[in-house]
């Protein structure tokens, strides 16, 4: 081979690497854009605020009656989260099928992102007794986020080779948590100094909710500019014509030929249900059961965000040394201990709530990031969108059981302590199921190269 040929090949490799890095950086920014919704809206402000609105609209027995159904006001938020997840189950397969059929992920990502950001910005108009409007906007925003994450996650196998995926996925989560922390600092300033800004406390909360939607929409422009669609010959020819549910059924049938991939999804479905419920209900537990103020909750979630950045990056390094599966299993042990300890937290003691928040933050980002990267190794080549649609259904679309159990436990017992400790079962069962998955064999069965550590 001549020297010129070698130089040309090296230049081509350098160009491909530079383009891959550019796409990866653009991919990170979508986490930066949408994670503010998960942090400021879903985790901090909307739960307590929507609960208060529901209580204002409640009858003397403490019940609201959406569509004539009696619901304890304190359970309305948890039930709405569950309903939003059920709606997501119906729309995510449609998005995955459309992405597979057309190969055009970016336009679909844009539609989902901007519908979600608009619904979030519309939360500025929540006041008085408008709990039904709050529930509707929450459902639209959550479903839109779920659809966008199907498309976003399916880019990972395309922009990162196997040896880079744990690190790339972890950096994406770290970007998201860093963004959430930055915006939460601004939220904290506005909330604590609302009088100085000439607004009421409720108006400050509404501004914080709406600003998350503006942030989401603005930074989505970056990944839409940098990511590129890769269309297969079948997509160019338009030969795929399955609808959403037909595609989902076909994906599940295909997964039967990859039983270890399916087994991983089952384990992930269970333990991630616990993770998602902790994220969405922790602020309600802190405010309603422990009697903590909004400013304390914001500081606690800010602590989670900051430690989640470090935790995601640190667990990414642990995965390189011990493998993603072992690292995830270790994190599930930590989740079990942390949430179990949450049952015993004394009311009115912010310091202990901060300790709980620190424990959650250290394992939160890494559990999610490594689960995503591990699953990317189990996906057969060319089926990223449809498999990640099933993954996202496990991630969000099936995460209705945890909030439902949380809400039902509270409705039956009147105790948020009983509700929070009920979530321990998700981590214990998830650990048992994941421990049984032979991940190296699963990677080989999917036709992918097996990393040295997995």
């Amino acid at each position: 081979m001549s020297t010129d040929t070698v130089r040309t090949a090296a230049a081509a490799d350098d160009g491909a690497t530079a383009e891959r890095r550019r796409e990866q950086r653009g991919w990170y920014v979508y986490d930066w854009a949408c994670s503010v919704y998960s942090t400021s809206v879903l985790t901090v402000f909307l739960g307590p605020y929507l609960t208060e609105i529901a209580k204002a609209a409640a009858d003397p027995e403490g019940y609201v009656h959406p569509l004539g159904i009696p619901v304890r006001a304190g359970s309305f938020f948890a039930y709405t989260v569950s309903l939003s997840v059920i709606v997501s189950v119906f729309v995510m397969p449609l998005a995955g099928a459309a992405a597979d059929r057309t190969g055009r992920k970016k336009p679909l990502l844009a539609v989902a992102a901007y519908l979600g950001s608009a619904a979030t910005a519309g939360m500025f108009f929540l006041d008085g007794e408008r709990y039904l409007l709050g529930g509707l906007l929450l459902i639209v925003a959550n479903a839109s986020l779920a659809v966008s994450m199907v498309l976003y996650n399916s880019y990972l196998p395309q922009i990162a080779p196997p040896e880079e995926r744990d690190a790339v996925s972890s950096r994406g989560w770290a970007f998201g948590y860093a963004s959430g922390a930055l915006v939460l600092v601004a939220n904290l300033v506005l909330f604590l100094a609302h009088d100085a800004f000439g607004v009421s406390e409720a108006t400050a909360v509404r501004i914080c909710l709406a600003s998350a939607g503006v942030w989401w929409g603005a930074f989505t422009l970056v990944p839409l500019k940098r990511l590129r669609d890769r269309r297969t010959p079948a997509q160019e020819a338009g030969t795929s014509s399955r609808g959403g549910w037909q595609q989902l059924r076909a994906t599940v049938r295909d997964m039967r030929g990859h039983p270890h991939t399916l087994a991983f999804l089952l384990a992930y479905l269970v333990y991630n249900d616990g993770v998602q419920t902790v994220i969405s209900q922790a602020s309600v537990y802190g405010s309603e059961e422990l009697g903590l103020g909004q400013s304390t909750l914001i500081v606690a979630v800010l602590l989670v965000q900051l430690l989640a950045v470090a935790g995601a990056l640190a667990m990414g390094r642990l995965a390189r040394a011990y493998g993603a599966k072992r690292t995830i299993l270790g994190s599930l042990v930590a989740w079990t201990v942390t949430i179990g300890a949450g049952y015993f937290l004394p009311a009115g003691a912010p310091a202990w709530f901060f300790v709980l928040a620190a424990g959650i933050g250290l394992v939160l980002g890494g559990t999610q990031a490594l689960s995503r990267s591990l699953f990317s190794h189990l996906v057969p080549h060319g089926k990223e969108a449809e498999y990640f649609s099933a993954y996202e259904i496990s991630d969000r679309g099936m995460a209705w059981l945890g909030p439902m159990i949380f809400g039902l436990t509270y409705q039956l017992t009147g105790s948020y302590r009983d509700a929070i400790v009920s979530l321990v079962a998700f981590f214990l069962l998830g650990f048992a199921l994941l421990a049984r998955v032979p991940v190296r064999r699963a990677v080989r069965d999917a036709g992918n190269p097996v990393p040295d550590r997995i």
Side-chain angles (χ1 to χ4, degrees):
M1 184 180 292
S2 68
T3 302
D4 289 342
T5 301
V6 172
R7 288 176 178 171
T8 300
D13 288 342
D14 289 344
T17 300
E19 175 61 24
R20 187 172 75 249
R21 295 282 186 259
R22 184 176 185 275
E23 278 197 272
Q24 289 173 358
R25 288 190 291 269
W27 187 79
Y28 299 150
V29 174
Y30 190 69
D31 243 325
W32 175 274
C34 70
S35 291
V36 171
Y37 167 81
S38 298
T39 302
S40 290
V41 177
L42 196 59
T43 305
V44 178
F45 288 108
L46 188 59
Y49 186 67
L50 188 56
T51 299
E52 288 304 313
I53 292 176
K55 286 181 176 180
D59 61 22
E61 287 74 37
Y63 286 83
V64 291
H65 300 268
L67 303 178
I69 303 170
V71 174
R72 189 188 289 267
S75 296
F76 178 75
F77 175 69
Y79 288 155
T80 304
V81 171
S82 292
L83 181 57
S84 74
V85 170
I86 293 170
V87 171
S88 300
V89 169
F90 286 91
V91 295
M92 284 191 292
L94 298 176
D100 285 334
R101 183 170 61 251
T102 66
R104 298 186 182 277
K105 297 178 186 178
K106 280 207 297 185
L108 294 170
L109 177 61
V111 170
Y114 285 109
L115 181 60
S117 66
T120 306
M123 291 177 185
F124 178 80
F125 300 102
L126 297 182
D127 59 4
E129 299 180 359
R130 296 178 178 175
Y131 75 97
L132 285 176
L133 175 62
L136 177 62
L137 293 176
L138 172 59
I139 290 169
V140 172
N142 267 8
S144 298
L145 179 65
V147 169
S148 73
M149 293 305 291
V150 168
L151 305 164
Y152 168 71
N153 285 337
S154 69
Y155 276 103
L156 179 59
Q158 298 176 355
I159 65 173
E163 66 275 9
E164 292 183 3
R165 286 183 201 163
D166 287 344
V168 169
S169 184
S170 296
R171 289 187 198 117
W173 281 108
F175 263 68
Y177 285 115
S179 169
L182 177 64
V183 174
L184 206 53
V185 169
N187 292 160
L188 183 61
V189 171
L190 175 61
F191 182 81
L192 293 179
H194 60 85
D195 289 334
F197 288 100
V199 298
S200 67
E201 182 177 293
T203 301
V205 171
R206 289 159 51 208
I207 291 172
C208 292
L209 293 172
S211 64
V214 175
W215 181 281
W216 185 358
F219 283 101
T220 295
L221 294 171
V222 177
L224 292 180
K225 181 179 177 66
R226 292 199 172 186
L227 293 172
R228 62 186 180 90
D229 288 331
R230 297 160 175 83
R231 304 186 71 193
T232 66
Q235 290 165 342
E236 294 286 354
T239 57
S240 178
S241 59
R242 289 187 179 120
W245 282 102
Q246 288 177 313
Q247 181 67 72
L248 181 60
R249 286 193 294 269
T251 301
V252 173
R253 284 197 301 269
D254 189 72
M255 281 186 178
R256 291 175 183 171
H258 303 282
H260 302 310
T261 300
L262 198 57
F264 171 82
L265 268 183
L266 176 61
Y268 178 68
L269 181 155
V270 173
Y271 70 74
N272 186 66
D273 202 345
V275 172
Q276 295 297 325
T277 307
V278 171
I279 292 172
S280 65
Q281 304 302 322
S283 61
V284 176
Y285 179 67
S287 63
E288 298 296 320
E289 182 68 35
L290 302 182
L292 302 176
Q294 188 74 63
S295 59
T296 299
L297 298 177
I298 295 173
V299 172
V301 175
L302 179 58
L303 180 62
V304 170
Q305 298 298 115
L306 293 173
L307 290 177
V309 175
L313 297 176
M315 286 181 64
R317 294 190 181 95
L318 286 174
R320 288 199 294 271
Y322 300 103
K325 177 184 173 181
R326 289 182 179 178
T327 307
I328 295 170
L329 288 172
S331 77
L332 296 181
V333 173
W335 274 108
T336 301
V337 173
T338 302
I339 302 306
Y343 177 86
F344 300 100
L345 291 186
W352 286 109
F353 191 70
F354 293 151
V355 172
L356 179 71
I360 291 173
L362 288 173
V363 293
L364 176 60
T367 304
Q368 295 172 317
L370 293 179
S371 297
R372 178 171 63 185
S373 61
L374 179 56
F375 181 71
S376 73
H377 293 286
L378 312 182
V379 177
H381 179 67
K383 297 183 178 181
E384 290 85 4
E386 59 177 284
Y387 268 62
F388 268 104
S389 177
Y391 175 86
E392 195 64 24
I393 287 176
S394 296
D395 187 4
R396 299 174 193 276
M398 294 304 292
W400 57 270
L401 185 59
M404 181 66 71
I405 288 177
F406 187 94
L408 281 173
T409 303
Y410 173 74
Q411 180 146 339
L412 293 173
T413 67
S415 170
Y416 283 107
R417 292 185 186 273
D418 293 335
I420 200 72
V421 81
S422 69
L423 303 180
V424 168
F426 289 92
F427 299 107
L428 292 175
L429 181 57
F431 180 97
L433 292 172
L434 179 59
R436 294 172 58 87
V437 178
V439 292
R440 299 184 72 85
R441 189 187 311 167
V443 175
R444 286 195 297 269
D445 290 348
N448 295 323
V450 182
D452 292 336
R453 297 284 186 184
I454 193 167

